Amino acid sequence: MTNLILFVNSFLSYLLLFVLIVALVIVACVIGVKWRKSKDAKAASETPADGSTTA
């Protein structure tokens, strides 16, 4: 019985750690997408609208 309790305790600890890591990865991806969209929008507003370049 003691082994079962230790196993469940260990399993729940690793499960909680896994959930925490997954949450951090999701937050990092959301922040990365927001930053990329912001950068793309900023770059698009700085370039000419007709797409011409000066050589």
Side-chain angles (χ1 to χ4, degrees):
M1 187 66 177
T2 304
N3 288 337
L4 180 64
I5 293 171
L6 290 175
F7 172 75
V8 171
N9 188 12
S10 179
F11 179 77
L12 291 177
S13 295
Y14 280 110
L15 182 66
L16 181 63
L17 182 63
F18 177 73
V19 169
L20 180 66
I21 290 171
V22 169
L24 288 175
V25 167
I26 291 171
V27 168
C29 289
V30 169
I31 290 172
V33 168
K34 283 186 179 183
W35 279 349
R36 184 64 196 194
K37 285 183 180 179
S38 172
K39 183 180 179 184
D40 289 345
K42 189 176 183 182
S45 68
E46 291 176 354
T47 58
D50 61 358
S52 64
T53 59
T54 56

